[in-house]
Amino acid sequence: QPDVLSRFQREATTAASIRSPYVVDVYDIDKTSDGRPYIVGEFLEGKEFASYLEQTGKMSVGSAVHIVRQVCKALTEAHRMGVVHRDMKPENVFLTGDLEQPIAKVIDFGISKTDDGPKTQLTKTGMIMGTPSYMAPEQARGERVDHRADIYAVGAILYCALTGKRPFDRGDPTAAFP
């Protein structure tokens, strides 16, 4: 499927280009001899942030801020390179090391958007992609998004970490946004 292959290639190339201790490292992008694409990435030991939140429920302000600040540092570097993640959520943050003071790694740049122009655009304005509970209103309406959509999503992640609940948890991505 060409669109799946394009997203795979985008994720690999995007993640490989971002240099941050808070973004998963990608070491190689290639294809097997029979044409199957693959990514060789950093081996992460730890726990997905979403699983951690399911286990712990609400977090203390200090612990939640510790993790979210690292996510912000990762996104600062991505945004500096013209990359908008567009699907920031606890499932796309991986916690490594000591879970009392973890190192957060942003993963899954599969629906990221780069400022490479219309020729490389794999999604179009009007196409809704992402996770509704963490989407900025303009993203949920299918409008053009920029780095501010990621900032909104990080605020939603912090909300979730502090309250133990997903914000705007509805099945319809536009239900919370008129």
Side-chain angles (χ1 to χ4, degrees):
Q1 295 178 347
D3 60 330
V4 173
L5 184 58
S6 293
R7 288 195 205 301
F8 177 88
Q9 185 68 34
R10 175 196 301 214
E11 177 180 356
T13 304
T14 300
S17 70
I18 302 169
R19 296 285 171 231
S20 169
Y22 308 112
V23 174
V24 66
D25 285 328
V26 173
Y27 304 119
D28 192 18
I29 308 161
D30 209 342
K31 291 182 181 177
T32 61
S33 59
D34 63 353
R36 289 180 289 162
Y38 66 87
I39 300 173
V40 178
E42 175 180 7
F43 179 72
L44 299 177
E45 290 188 76
K47 186 172 284 222
E48 188 180 90
F49 192 32
S51 297
Y52 181 78
L53 289 173
E54 277 182 28
Q55 220 174 12
T56 62
K58 298 177 192 176
M59 294 179 70
S60 71
V61 172
S63 295
V65 168
H66 172 77
I67 292 167
V68 169
R69 286 187 71 190
Q70 293 175 60
V71 171
C72 288
K73 289 176 183 178
L75 291 174
T76 296
E77 186 60 24
H79 295 162
R80 187 183 72 70
M81 302 205 45
V83 176
V84 180
H85 191 284
R86 297 197 306 176
D87 197 21
M88 284 307 311
K89 58 187 175 182
E91 290 83 354
N92 287 336
V93 177
F94 199 88
L95 305 178
T96 65
D98 177 9
L99 292 180
E100 293 298 315
Q101 287 290 311
I103 295 172
K105 297 274 191 171
V106 174
I107 60 174
D108 193 357
F109 284 83
I111 66 167
S112 64
K113 172 185 163 290
T114 58
D115 291 333
D116 293 338
K119 287 183 181 178
T120 60
Q121 191 173 348
L122 294 177
T123 58
K124 299 174 183 71
T125 301
M127 184 177 213
I128 299 173
M129 298 188 76
T131 303
S133 294
Y134 299 95
M135 277 185 192
E138 62 274 20
Q139 186 176 1
R141 289 190 297 264
E143 297 171 6
R144 178 172 227 104
V145 297
D146 60 23
H147 69 282
R148 294 172 291 184
D150 286 345
I151 295 168
Y152 181 95
V154 171
I157 291 170
L158 182 59
Y159 175 90
C160 182
L162 294 174
T163 65
K165 299 177 185 170
R166 297 171 78 172
F168 310 113
D169 200 8
R170 299 181 183 178
D172 176 6
T174 60
F177 309 108

